[in-house]
Amino acid sequence: MKTEILARVSTLEQKEAGNSLPAQQARLISYIERSFSKTNGSKLILDKEFIFDETAFKEHRKEFEKVIEYILSLKEVVALCCDKVDRLTRDFLVGLPMLEKLRREGKIELHFPSDNLVLHQNSPATDLFHFNIAVSLAQYYSNAISDNTKRAFEQKRRKGEWTGKPPIGYKNFTDIDGNKTIQLDTERAHLIAKIFELYATGNHSMESIREQITNEGLRSINGYKLSKSSIENILKETFYYGQPFSNKYGLFPTYHNYGNIIAKDLYDRCQEVRTKKKKTPYKAVSKEYIFKGVLKCEKCGCTMTPETKTKKSGLVFTYYSCTNSKGICKRVYVSENDLLEPILADLERLSSLTEDIQNRLVEGLRKTTEAEVVFHKAQIQRIRTEHDKLATRKDGLVDALIDKSITKEIYDKKLQDVSDKEQLLAIELEEHLQADTDYKTTIATVMSVARRSIDIFNSSEPHEKRALLNYLLQNPSVNEKTLVYTMRSPFNLMLSLDDRPIGLRE
């Protein structure tokens, strides 16, 4: 069977931890020479090698797309061989659905020698569970590293520093030391202030202000006349009185130091005028339904809408039907009880998982986490080493200041730079130290939810039941009167491990 090798490293730490490209290649070639296909028993034969070495994330993705294209170009079943699961998944999570599709269709085998794992069309549920958890862990650690970058921006927000393009009235500026900052745009700042002054009188509309301020010469950075919506956005901009705001993070906790164009009381007067001109209509609270907003019609993709019917006997029933907004469906009503029937059956199965099944899950988790522990420890060691280097730099700065080889101004600037880096490292270290605890807590939570799922559901209010279904179900839809869904991972794998005869599941 033709076999493709995929080897990569993305950090220097991985090279130093024995994961260098030559080391991976040697292990993979040795494995291929002594291994056979799980599909047809044929000998594995090296066909092509794909090697990635410390390139950017986007470049990684392009290279991975080449791997997929090459595999698709072959007309026969092939094997893709990676040293470990995390060598494949940490940067390539977007391409995994295609590999999974090829595996299910029997067109590819996935070999991970260091994890002692081979996936093929007929792989047992335990192997699939092992791989699925490894993918989840790879995503978790990628997100954790991404969080560190977010923390850096969070630190800037705490200091009132703006990291994007400033609003009109300000401009980006680079000082003589090459530091990027923001300063007032003297050509426009006074006209921005006038917009607020005019609107605060209550005698002007957005359009009248736009006309007047345009006549006085206010233009955008690109030289265009401002629109009416631009005037409205200016009036809502808190940056002008000193407190930055972003749609994602809300108001910054600290005021910026780039200079204010207006005072806070002028801004507040303008908001009072806006409030008087715009009244918020009252919207009645709608009735809660278990599947409201959860289900789609499988035929047309439209939302399944609920409604209540009261029988002559006084009994009340809830039915769902396609909104048929595209005009291609015949409206079919299906009762809520019928939709719940297969879900309740699966919840009963989750709640009655045997101790043997739970032990098999825990064992799979233990094997999966071993590779991540090595990575986890290497990252902590790297952070502590960098922190020690920064401490040495601080001592050197003090000596340089005492020797008068640098000025107090340079000392303060460099000390602040070192302190900022120390703070970022401290945040990153805290994230990694917390990662292991968070992971174990998450696994315990998943097991607990599985065991108590039916009790949780039966004792919950409709909106709580809906939240639980969103947590457990993936892409639920309705085909005529049949509910179509899959359980989210790892609950689907838990059910797949339950191979007991139906009569013995109680």
Side-chain angles (χ1 to χ4, degrees):
M1 175 182 286
K2 285 187 177 180
T3 304
E4 323 306 329
I5 282 180
L6 191 154
R8 73 172 190 88
V9 292
S10 56
T11 66
L12 288 173
E13 288 77 12
Q14 289 171 354
K15 282 186 173 182
E16 295 165 0
N19 286 327
S20 66
L21 292 176
Q24 288 184 52
Q25 287 175 279
R27 287 195 292 267
L28 292 174
I29 291 173
S30 174
Y31 171 81
I32 290 172
E33 290 175 348
R34 65 177 189 273
S35 300
F36 296 84
S37 165
K38 297 292 185 182
T39 301
N40 55 31
S42 62
K43 185 80 173 63
L44 297 186
I45 301 174
L46 178 60
D47 175 50
K48 193 175 180 63
E49 298 182 39
F50 295 90
I51 311 298
F52 313 138
D53 184 4
E54 295 187 295
T55 53
F57 177 76
K58 289 184 179 178
E59 292 302 319
H60 267 160
R61 187 172 296 172
K62 290 178 182 177
E63 292 298 326
F64 186 64
E65 288 172 356
K66 292 179 183 177
V67 178
I68 298 295
E69 289 174 4
Y70 180 74
I71 292 174
L72 291 174
S73 69
L74 301 175
K75 303 302 182 183
E76 57 196 279
V77 181
V78 298
L80 179 61
C81 196
C82 299
D83 189 35
K84 298 179 180 180
V85 173
D86 72 340
R87 294 298 88 213
L88 175 67
T89 58
R90 196 179 300 281
D91 287 345
F92 303 137
L93 290 168
V94 214
L96 287 180
M98 175 56 74
L99 288 179
E100 175 61 12
K101 179 176 180 294
L102 293 174
R103 182 197 66 78
R104 289 199 307 268
E105 294 173 352
K107 297 179 181 179
I108 192 174
E109 290 184 1
L110 299 174
H111 291 246
F112 306 99
S114 293
D115 289 330
N116 194 27
L117 179 65
V118 178
L119 299 182
H120 50 89
Q121 187 178 26
N122 299 314
S123 288
T126 49
D127 286 353
L128 295 175
F129 176 78
H130 182 179
F131 179 75
N132 191 278
I133 292 299
V135 171
S136 300
L137 284 172
Q139 179 72 79
Y140 174 83
Y141 278 99
S142 294
N143 290 342
I145 300 306
S146 173
D147 285 344
N148 294 328
T149 303
K150 296 176 184 176
R151 290 298 183 100
F153 284 102
E154 182 181 338
Q155 173 65 10
K156 286 183 175 291
R157 290 194 297 275
R158 284 198 292 265
K159 295 165 67 175
E161 296 181 14
W162 188 253
T163 55
K165 183 180 178 181
I168 184 172
Y170 294 87
K171 59 183 180 180
N172 289 317
F173 174 73
T174 303
D175 63 22
I176 57 175
D177 296 324
N179 299 315
K180 295 182 178 181
T181 184
I182 295 171
Q183 64 180 15
L184 287 170
D185 183 348
T186 54
E187 296 181 0
R188 296 179 176 84
H190 67 286
L191 294 175
I192 297 297
K194 188 162 187 177
I195 291 176
F196 284 90
E197 292 166 359
L198 291 173
Y199 194 77
T201 64
N203 300 324
H204 288 272
S205 64
M206 303 288 180
E207 180 59 29
S208 66
I209 292 177
R210 188 188 74 86
E211 291 179 0
Q212 181 170 336
I213 212 71
T214 299
N215 292 334
E216 294 192 26
L218 182 61
R219 298 289 189 278
S220 69
I221 298 298
N222 297 322
Y224 298 111
K225 295 179 181 180
L226 298 185
S227 63
K228 190 166 66 173
S229 62
S230 297
I231 300 297
E232 183 178 8
N233 289 335
I234 288 173
L235 290 169
K236 294 188 291 185
E237 182 56 70
T238 61
F239 198 96
Y240 294 123
Y241 70 76
Q243 191 169 20
F245 172 88
S246 76
N247 292 329
K248 187 173 183 179
Y249 301 104
L251 285 172
F252 284 25
T254 306
Y255 283 64
H256 66 68
N257 58 359
Y258 307 126
N260 299 344
I261 291 180
I262 61 170
K264 177 67 162 58
D265 63 335
L266 176 57
Y267 175 87
D268 290 339
R269 291 205 306 273
C270 289
Q271 305 319 303
E272 290 175 5
V273 173
R274 290 183 69 243
T275 302
K276 290 178 182 178
K277 290 185 177 183
K278 183 178 181 181
K279 295 181 180 179
T280 305
Y282 171 77
K283 183 178 180 180
V285 178
S286 59
K287 183 177 178 179
E288 290 285 358
Y289 293 94
I290 296 176
F291 288 106
K292 183 178 179 181
V294 175
L295 300 177
K296 298 286 186 182
C297 173
E298 190 172 72
K299 182 177 180 181
C300 68
C302 295
T303 301
M304 298 289 292
T305 182
E307 56 185 272
T308 305
K309 300 281 187 181
T310 303
K311 302 291 185 181
K312 292 182 179 180
S313 61
L315 295 176
V316 178
F317 296 89
T318 299
Y319 293 89
Y320 292 79
S321 63
C322 175
T323 56
N324 195 24
S325 59
K326 297 180 181 179
I328 61 176
C329 283
K330 178 182 177 182
R331 175 156 282 190
V332 177
Y333 291 90
V334 54
S335 74
E336 188 172 81
N337 290 337
D338 290 343
L339 293 173
L340 283 173
E341 186 175 345
I343 297 175
L344 293 176
D346 278 345
L347 296 186
E348 287 282 3
R349 289 177 60 197
L350 284 175
S351 299
S352 63
L353 290 178
T354 65
E355 185 177 349
D356 174 64
I357 292 175
Q358 296 179 41
N359 290 338
R360 288 159 66 188
L361 291 171
V362 172
E363 177 62 18
L365 293 172
R366 185 191 66 77
K367 291 180 179 178
T368 302
T369 54
E370 290 175 352
E372 291 301 336
V373 167
V374 175
F375 173 80
H376 177 70
K377 290 181 178 178
Q379 293 302 307
I380 292 177
Q381 182 58 44
R382 172 186 62 79
I383 294 169
R384 287 173 174 163
T385 300
E386 290 182 13
H387 190 277
D388 292 342
K389 290 179 181 178
L390 290 175
T392 303
R393 283 186 61 189
K394 288 176 73 173
D395 293 340
L397 287 174
V398 173
D399 294 338
L401 180 63
I402 294 174
D403 296 340
K404 297 184 179 180
S405 57
I406 60 173
T407 64
K408 181 65 166 58
E409 182 180 0
I410 294 176
Y411 169 80
D412 290 339
K413 182 178 178 180
K414 290 186 177 295
L415 181 63
Q416 183 62 52
D417 180 57
V418 172
S419 298
D420 288 346
K421 290 179 180 178
E422 282 184 326
Q423 185 170 8
L424 288 176
L425 285 175
I427 292 172
E428 188 178 357
L429 178 62
E430 181 184 348
E431 290 292 316
H432 279 287
L433 291 175
Q434 186 65 28
D436 190 49
T437 302
D438 287 347
Y439 171 71
K440 291 176 181 176
T441 301
T442 301
I443 295 303
T445 301
V446 168
M447 297 291 285
S448 176
V449 169
R451 287 194 296 265
R452 300 185 300 115
S453 56
I454 190 66
D455 293 332
I456 294 173
F457 188 86
N458 289 334
S459 62
S460 298
E461 296 297 324
H463 70 280
E464 294 170 330
K465 291 180 178 179
R466 185 168 62 249
L468 181 61
L469 292 181
N470 278 322
Y471 178 65
L472 294 174
L473 305 188
Q474 185 170 341
N475 302 324
S477 60
V478 178
N479 185 353
E480 295 290 340
K481 292 189 175 185
T482 304
L483 179 66
V484 181
Y485 69 93
T486 56
M487 281 282 187
R488 292 186 186 276
S489 179
F491 300 104
N492 59 334
L493 294 167
M494 292 181 181
L495 291 176
S496 69
L497 291 175
D498 186 8
D499 52 5
R500 293 170 295 161
I502 293 177
L504 299 178
R505 289 176 180 171
E506 301 301 327

